[in-house]
Amino acid sequence: MFDTQPGAYSAHQRLVDAARARPQLWRLLVGLALVGVVVTVLNFVLFGLVSTLGSVAWAQSLLAGASPTAMLVLLASFAFVTFGVWVAARSLQGRTLNSICGPWRQATSQFWTVFKALFVIGFVVTILPPYDMGATLTQNLALSTWLLLLPVSLFAVLIQVSAEEVLFRGYMQQTLAARFRSPVIWLGIPSILFAAGHYAPGAAGDNALLVAVWSGLFGLLAADLTARAGTLGPAIALHLFNNMVALLFISLPDSLSGLALYLLPYDMSDTGMLRQWLYVDFAVMLVSWLTARVALRR
């Protein structure tokens, strides 16, 4: 499925070259620890501020993202991850975010090329049956409210997905590629860690492993797109398209549903309905990845 011949990933070398001056693994490990510290401290300050303005209970409810305000704050807080990566890369490798993301104009152009292609695929999937995902959907937000929030909601989701791409397909993938020649390592390790970050047995129950595998495969496909494109633009577009559908259009009712237009009538731990749709999601994800690859070749 993945063509790991050197020529296939030649565009990736420009990103990797920026990390070659200081490719030591200890720098990556210390850098990741530094990202963790920055994110923890800034989130502590944020939730302390929210608690002061509201209440401790309301601040804690932000993690569930059950209201529009909670979701917007939660998604926007992912900017701390991007800031943490900037601090780590700057202090330990002398790198900038631009060197991690790739040339701005090229990244932006590739982002829009892929996103427009995925939008067409999404429209086609939407008009195909079944129209209710096998169950009756529940209206979560009034259409007028949802449309009013949509611009800022999209921007908040963009902050979230960009942060994850900068960390996993940017900082981690490029540093490992500067140290190891084998794509199995620099494609695989960040994807495994990405999957581990999405393993949540407390919320997903018996579906937790399947959700983690889904996330790991998504990470692998996003890593492949980054290596082929030489920028994070296509991976961010793929990630935005996926999370936009899951967070803004049709969401699960048990978590991160505050900005969704509709809610599914089952939660993440449902081993009947949800598991069926996870398999469908696998197929859609593969089609989306292939679509992105075709779009980039034009």
Side-chain angles (χ1 to χ4, degrees):
M1 184 168 67
F2 296 98
D3 179 6
T4 57
Q5 296 302 314
Y9 293 155
S10 58
H12 193 237
Q13 293 308 307
R14 179 179 56 238
L15 298 174
V16 177
D17 285 343
R20 290 194 191 281
R22 299 173 182 176
Q24 296 86 353
L25 285 182
W26 72 263
R27 292 182 186 274
L28 175 60
L29 295 176
V30 172
L32 292 176
L34 184 56
V35 172
V37 170
V38 169
V39 171
T40 300
V41 170
L42 291 179
N43 272 320
F44 181 80
V45 172
L46 172 64
F47 284 94
L49 179 62
V50 170
S51 299
T52 301
L53 297 176
S55 66
V56 175
W58 189 82
Q60 292 174 340
S61 73
L62 287 177
L63 297 177
S67 70
T69 301
M71 272 297 288
L72 289 174
V73 173
L74 187 61
L75 292 171
S77 70
F78 275 80
F80 300 154
V81 176
T82 302
F83 178 70
V85 170
W86 175 78
V87 171
R90 189 72 176 178
S91 58
L92 292 165
Q93 292 182 322
R95 300 186 64 189
T96 64
L97 279 179
N98 187 63
S99 72
I100 292 174
C101 297
W104 174 252
R105 288 187 178 180
Q106 183 181 10
T108 304
S109 175
Q110 291 176 338
F111 169 88
W112 284 114
T113 296
V114 171
F115 190 77
K116 286 185 290 186
L118 293 176
F119 187 84
V120 172
I121 292 296
F123 177 77
V124 172
V125 171
T126 301
I127 64 176
L128 293 175
Y131 305 108
D132 56 3
M133 297 188 69
T136 303
L137 299 176
T138 303
Q139 187 94 24
N140 183 51
L141 293 176
L143 181 59
S144 58
T145 301
W146 183 81
L147 288 172
L148 184 64
L149 289 171
L150 187 57
V152 68
S153 298
L154 284 170
F155 183 66
V157 176
L158 180 61
I159 291 174
Q160 180 250 321
V161 300
S162 298
E164 293 188 349
E165 293 307 315
V166 165
L167 176 60
F168 288 96
R169 264 64 71 178
Y171 183 54
M172 291 179 59
Q173 177 172 316
Q174 293 161 24
T175 303
L176 288 171
R179 179 63 179 80
F180 301 100
R181 294 183 61 184
S182 174
V184 173
I185 296 176
W186 50 264
L187 290 175
I189 291 178
S191 300
I192 291 171
L193 294 176
F194 188 70
H198 288 80
Y199 181 69
D206 291 338
N207 289 326
L209 183 58
L210 189 59
V211 171
V213 170
W214 186 101
S215 300
L217 179 57
F218 178 90
L220 199 58
L221 299 181
D224 174 75
L225 286 180
T226 300
R228 291 177 184 278
T231 79
L232 292 183
I236 292 174
L238 181 67
H239 207 156
L240 177 64
F241 176 76
N242 175 79
N243 285 23
M244 180 181 71
V245 173
L247 298 178
L248 304 186
F249 287 87
I250 304 175
S251 183
L252 294 165
D254 46 349
S255 65
L256 307 180
S257 61
L259 294 172
L261 180 60
Y262 293 106
L263 298 179
L264 290 166
Y266 43 84
D267 60 28
M268 190 181 294
S269 62
D270 192 305
T271 55
M273 294 298 296
L274 183 65
R275 185 164 295 187
Q276 295 177 32
W277 283 104
L278 279 174
Y279 294 133
V280 174
D281 262 356
F282 272 112
V284 172
M285 178 167 54
L286 289 173
V287 170
S288 298
W289 168 66
L290 290 172
T291 299
R293 284 187 54 177
V294 170
L296 288 171
R297 289 176 181 173
R298 294 178 181 175

